[in-house]
Amino acid sequence: MHEALFYKKKRPVVHCELCPQFCRLKNGELGVCGVRQEEEGKLYSLNYGICAGMALDPIEKKPLYHYQPGRQVFSVGTLGCNLGCGFCQNWHLARKAPGVQTVRLTPEQLVARLDEAAAQKPVGMAYTYSEPGMWFEYVLDTAKLVREKGFKNIMVTNGFLNEEPLIHLLPLIDAFNIDVKAFRDEYYREHCKGRLEPVLRYVEIAAQSAHVELTYLVVPTLNDQEEDIRRFTDWVAGINPAIPVHFSRYYPQHEFKLPPTPVEVMEHIRSVALEKLNYVYLGNLPGSKAANTFCPQCGKEVISRDGYRVENLLQAGNCAQCGWNIEVNEE
């Protein structure tokens, strides 16, 4: 076991301060995440070095559309999560389901896997699949080595982390995709076993120093109300209207049995969001033109996407038709 960071000893209880769950643990108890455990007055990370998934992915799969478009990224994930979303598509990892295959790798061994993929010219390492915030110590140690090798670090996260750990991690992270699962605290409490405000704060802090894109899974009748979408897009625009937002179509998953989100609902939500935001995408809609990037100034298609095949039509980062700078990180 690896001793955790961000906890306080207050015998007979250990106070975990990594995330807003603020678990109070004793007698060998596990945190909400399932991967942090009290033992003899200390807190340990049980998933340090435990890799439950690895793949070389298109960066668009994260999804990141405005960061190194068309490139590959080495993706890795572990077990555990500090939320409990009824619609989770990776619940078998989040909840440590029996039978999940894992391998134990030191940070050095994992980075060696990234080196082996160098012929594919990967951007770097993406911490994804389950919640990388609950892999904090391992991500921190690995991200330092990734940076030393000249690669980038990417977090695909629920954003449910306390401010101090986030600030500790930020200097090592180049890009984030952050889930905002709804714009009502009641939704987070009822369907995700979390809260909204810490996620909003995470986004606001991350956007000050890294590339940020947001994903909003649209669940019919639960978080698709126009009022909520308008409040969400107003908030994003207040940070930066150039932040790309991915509205993802829900399909029945895990404990949720609602039918898939109607296509017309997805298209209406996008039209509402485009009133305030420059780049709005629809995900889980194969063949949709809403996966392409259009110039906010003249409407010309500047990046086309067919599945994960990408055609970048930018000229030195600008729209070829009107010269508008399209906020895409290609370095």
Side-chain angles (χ1 to χ4, degrees):
M1 293 191 297
H2 188 94
E3 188 172 0
L5 299 173
F6 297 103
Y7 78 93
K8 290 183 179 177
K9 305 174 185 180
K10 295 186 178 180
R11 286 188 178 273
V13 178
V14 164
H15 292 208
C16 181
E17 298 185 341
L18 181 63
C19 89
Q21 299 288 6
F22 288 109
C23 294
R24 303 293 180 257
L25 309 172
K26 61 181 179 180
N27 301 326
E29 289 178 328
L30 287 169
V32 168
C33 61
V35 291
R36 300 174 83 76
Q37 185 177 31
E38 185 275 347
E39 191 70 39
E40 296 183 352
K42 293 185 177 181
L43 186 66
Y44 292 94
S45 169
L46 304 183
N47 61 356
Y48 189 95
I50 300 297
C51 301
M54 283 182 285
L56 193 63
D57 287 331
I59 201 165
E60 285 76 16
K61 194 174 181 179
K62 298 306 97 187
L64 288 171
Y65 280 9
H66 286 239
Y67 192 80
Q68 310 272 348
R71 298 283 299 278
Q72 301 283 305
V73 63
F74 192 87
S75 300
V76 60
T78 189
L79 304 174
C81 185
N82 56 340
L83 293 182
C85 302
F87 45 80
C88 181
Q89 66 178 2
N90 286 326
W91 62 269
H92 56 296
L93 299 181
R95 301 275 70 88
K96 301 194 298 180
V100 173
Q101 298 295 311
T102 64
V103 61
R104 185 181 291 275
L105 297 172
T106 66
E108 291 80 7
Q109 289 170 329
L110 180 58
V111 174
R113 300 279 183 104
L114 175 60
D115 274 337
E116 290 169 6
Q120 304 298 319
K121 298 182 179 179
V123 171
M125 190 84 72
Y127 311 95
T128 179
Y129 302 138
S130 63
E131 175 44 48
M134 298 303 99
W135 212 14
F136 186 89
E137 296 79 10
Y138 187 72
V139 169
L140 187 68
D141 291 346
T142 303
K144 291 174 183 176
L145 298 178
V146 168
R147 271 286 182 84
E148 289 173 5
K149 291 281 188 175
F151 292 107
K152 306 294 186 182
N153 288 297
I154 293 167
M155 289 272 285
V156 182
T157 174
N158 63 27
F160 201 60
L161 199 73
N162 285 334
E163 186 170 330
E164 186 180 357
L166 172 59
I167 291 172
H168 199 73
L169 191 62
L170 266 180
L172 295 169
I173 306 301
D174 300 282
F176 291 83
N177 184 286
I178 305 167
D179 284 341
V180 178
K181 298 176 187 294
F183 213 69
R184 287 184 184 273
D185 192 63
E186 309 93 273
Y187 182 97
Y188 264 86
R189 291 180 182 275
E190 182 175 355
H191 300 297
C192 303
K193 298 181 175 63
R195 290 179 290 116
L196 171 62
E197 186 56 37
V199 178
L200 303 186
R201 184 64 182 145
Y202 187 112
V203 173
E204 291 163 356
I205 293 171
Q208 294 175 18
S209 61
H211 178 89
V212 167
E213 302 191 24
L214 305 178
T215 296
Y216 186 114
L217 180 69
V218 181
V219 183
T221 74
L222 296 183
N223 68 351
D224 61 347
Q225 293 83 2
E226 183 172 324
E227 176 190 354
D228 289 354
I229 300 302
R230 289 192 180 279
R231 290 192 305 113
F232 169 64
T233 54
D234 284 347
W235 168 74
V236 177
I239 303 171
N240 185 347
I243 291 176
V245 171
H246 304 260
F247 288 104
S248 187
R249 188 187 190 195
Y250 152 89
Y251 288 90
Q253 191 70 251
H254 191 28
E255 299 170 349
F256 270 34
K257 308 303 180 187
L258 290 166
T261 315
V263 173
E264 58 270 22
V265 171
M266 298 295 297
E267 291 173 343
H268 177 67
I269 283 173
R270 180 171 183 266
S271 68
V272 168
L274 281 170
E275 294 175 13
K276 296 290 182 70
L277 305 178
N278 292 350
Y279 309 105
V280 181
Y281 302 99
L282 299 183
N284 286 343
L285 278 174
S288 172
K289 289 289 187 182
N292 299 332
T293 301
F294 298 91
C295 175
Q297 175 75 10
C298 70
K300 180 180 174 60
E301 186 175 302
V302 292
I303 303 177
S304 64
R305 300 178 181 88
D306 180 10
Y308 296 123
R309 292 189 295 275
V310 178
E311 184 179 7
N312 188 339
L313 305 173
L314 294 173
Q315 294 186 354
N318 300 322
C319 172
Q321 181 163 289
C322 73
W324 180 275
N325 178 251
I326 307 299
E327 291 90 346
V328 173
N329 186 320
E330 299 182 274
E331 297 180 359

